[in-house]
Amino acid sequence: MPPADAPAEPDAVPPEPADVDPDPRPGPRDPGTAAMPSGTGTAAMPSGTGTEDTLDLKLTEELLALIGEDRSRAAAGRDPAAELLGSPATWPGATTEAGVFHLVPVVLERDLAVLSSWMNDPAVAAFWELAGPESVTADHLRPQLEGDGRSIPCLGVLDGTPMSYWEIYRADLDPLARHYAARLHDTGVHLLIGGVNNRGRGVGTTLLRAVADLVLDNLPRCGRVVAEPDLRNTPSVSAFLSAGFRFSAEVDLPGKRAALMIRDRTYRDHL
């Protein structure tokens, strides 16, 4: 799973790590603070963290039924990606205090150069671990772009300028679900802020709230938005708290001990 950026308070100025969701580890490769995408990778079972040990029998049966439905729809000619996460390309822009924000699904040929440049920023590389030639970033993106739609990589475009990278993923169908009491349609977010001018001034908090709202507004079956920033990344954890997420538990993920952050649809207007 991937990373996270943002200051503890909207107007706080402590230095902010480049990525907002600090460790995407249970994700494709499990990006997170460390550099793994969401959706891949086998994660070790949690070691006594106080969190419920993920999937019980009932939930497992529900997930298998859900996957079976997706396969049936695909066989009938329906787009499984649209069934899992909808289409962020069609989501409206969010008007925020930082500007008008859009999620734009990644196109490898168009976006690889800028994404690779961000991954080679030392502040980002410390968490995503994707520094190196463009092929390293491409290898991270392809499993998502060519997969079944359970993780969608997107550029974050603020007032027309690409300035962040996001992964919107089905947390209940991700290795992360082995580490907490997942619910059907839980949706996860990983992100990094690409430009240094957008770090350390509350932009991460503002955009985290905006993206969580976009997910809840456009995925009506999603009751919770989740994230797992590295516990050591205190600016990131503070950003999630300031964006209306609550701290749920500490969980051991591959390569990091994470703070499980949850934003509930029920309480979205009160946090």
Side-chain angles (χ1 to χ4, degrees), residues 249-264:
E250 294 183 12
V251 292
D252 286 318
L253 303 179
K256 71 173 182 183
R257 186 165 180 80
L260 179 67
M261 310 298 294
I262 296 177
R263 186 158 186 229
D264 301 272

Side-chain angles (χ1 to χ4, degrees), residues 1-5 20-26 31-33 166-167 169 171 176 180 186-191 208 212 224-231 236-237 239-241 243 245-251 253 256-264:
M1 298 156 6
D5 154 342
V20 172
D21 173 19
D23 201 345
R25 295 210 177 148
T33 280
W166 300 74
E167 291 172 354
Y169 67 100
L176 174 63
Y180 81 109
D186 276 357
T187 300
V189 296
H190 298 143
L191 80 113
L208 273 172
R224 308 189 302 179
V225 181
V226 305
E228 12 59 59
D230 193 305
L231 271 173
S236 175
V237 174
F240 279 99
L241 291 171
F245 286 74
R246 62 180 172 83
F247 174 81
S248 176
E250 294 183 12
V251 292
L253 303 179
K256 71 173 182 183
R257 186 165 180 80
L260 179 67
M261 310 298 294
I262 296 177
R263 186 158 186 229
D264 301 272

Side-chain angles (χ1 to χ4, degrees), residues 32 38 62 108 152 154 166 189 207 209 235 242 254:
S38 45
E62 291 173 343
L108 192 63
I152 301 177
C154 297
W166 300 74
V189 296
L207 299 186
R209 183 178 289 275
S242 297

